[in-house]
Amino acid sequence: GAGVSQSPSNKVTEKGKDVELRCDPISGHTALYWYRQSLGQGLEFLIYFQGNSAPDKSGLPSDRFSAERTGGSVSTLTIQRTQQEDSAVYLCASSASSDTQYFGPGTRLTVL
Amino acid sequence: AQSVTQLDSHVSVSEGTPVLLRCNYSSSYSPSLFWYVQHPNKGLQLLLKYTSAATLVKGINGFEAEFKKSETSFHLTKPSAHMSDAAEYFCVVTRGNSGYSTLTFGKGTMLLVSP
């Protein structure tokens, strides 16, 4: 079956612009996670959605970062007023009833 | 809180020789432990998973890992390296079988395989 998909695969933007990154989880997976992978910081948790519960936003680095999950499926990560330090690969993962997470290919964000 | 330490940032082996990637963890809970692999410009792929069943876990592509609670280790091994194993490997810990948990990643070990 289809895995986790993310779009776009690459995004280049100018400092100060807003960007939206999209994640389509595996069908039927109720949990969805966003992570960021950057040089020097490794892989960091950003935000986590589980069903209809309030999301766990404890990993978001600043209030410029936000995420939504509509209808319990697709999620959008929004970064406002992008900074150069936001350049990274943003990874989405989803999981079903266990804690095994399946990752998408990521979106590479470059802020000029 | 939980943490993961991957003891080597880079490991170099020759094709056909054994692979050992070392990982130590710290967790306040009974952990679930994972190894993920990331090939260049690819997403993360699950290699194997430990969740308090058998301490020796077999994964894909001939990899296996042994959970040793007394040593708080979860080292990844493979008897014979293949060129296609060259990638970055991440040891990961989560809270355990309590349901949904966020993952804590090690810094990664880059495996280099020479002919």
Side-chain angles (χ1 to χ4, degrees):
Chain A
V4 177
S5 61
Q6 293 185 245
S7 60
S9 55
N10 280 284
K11 176 72 177 179
V12 180
T13 190
E14 294 179 349
K15 178 180 173 181
K17 301 280 190 183
D18 298 351
V19 295
E20 287 189 349
L21 312 179
R22 177 187 168 104
C23 172
D24 282 272
I26 294 172
S27 178
H29 280 193
T30 56
L32 186 148
Y33 308 77
W34 284 98
Y35 295 87
R36 177 169 72 174
Q37 185 175 26
S38 56
L39 289 174
Q41 296 298 321
L43 273 148
E44 306 170 279
F45 162 73
L46 295 177
I47 187 170
Y48 150 52
F49 297 88
Q50 167 49 28
N52 295 320
S53 302
D56 178 351
K57 305 179 182 180
S58 60
L60 294 179
S62 79
D63 58 8
R64 296 186 295 105
F65 288 71
S66 62
E68 291 185 337
R69 189 178 185 192
T70 54
S73 181
V74 171
S75 177
T76 302
L77 177 69
T78 301
I79 309 173
Q80 295 178 308
R81 305 181 302 281
T82 52
Q83 303 295 313
Q84 288 183 331
E85 62 262 27
D86 300 334
S87 296
V89 176
Y90 290 82
L91 293 165
C92 176
S94 69
S95 68
S97 58
S98 71
D99 52 11
T100 301
Q101 296 181 21
Y102 298 89
F103 284 80
T107 293
R108 182 175 297 278
L109 175 65
T110 303
V111 182
L112 301 176
Chain B
Q2 54 260 24
S3 66
V4 175
T5 302
Q6 292 185 242
L7 299 166
D8 306 292
S9 59
H10 292 80
V11 169
S12 295
V13 300
S14 299
E15 191 174 22
T17 63
V19 175
L20 170 63
L21 305 183
R22 298 181 294 166
C23 172
N24 286 98
Y25 70 92
S26 171
S27 178
S28 304
Y29 304 87
S30 296
S32 289
L33 292 155
F34 307 78
W35 278 97
Y36 282 85
V37 60
Q38 187 175 34
H39 288 90
N41 300 314
K42 301 285 188 184
L44 288 158
Q45 181 184 17
L46 180 67
L47 270 182
L48 51 79
K49 167 184 175 181
Y50 165 77
T51 55
S52 76
T55 56
L56 183 62
V57 182
K58 294 187 183 299
I60 61 171
N61 301 334
F63 284 94
E64 60 182 41
E66 186 172 8
F67 174 73
K68 292 187 177 181
K69 186 175 181 180
S70 60
E71 299 176 10
T72 60
S73 69
F74 190 57
H75 301 335
L76 181 70
T77 60
K78 182 173 180 177
S80 176
H82 192 273
M83 294 296 290
S84 61
D85 294 328
E88 190 161 22
Y89 292 78
F90 293 93
C91 183
V92 181
V93 65
T94 187
R95 189 168 287 192
N97 280 329
S98 58
Y100 304 91
S101 298
T102 59
L103 302 179
T104 300
F105 286 80
K107 296 291 188 186
T109 298
M110 186 68 71
L111 177 64
L112 307 169
V113 183
S114 57

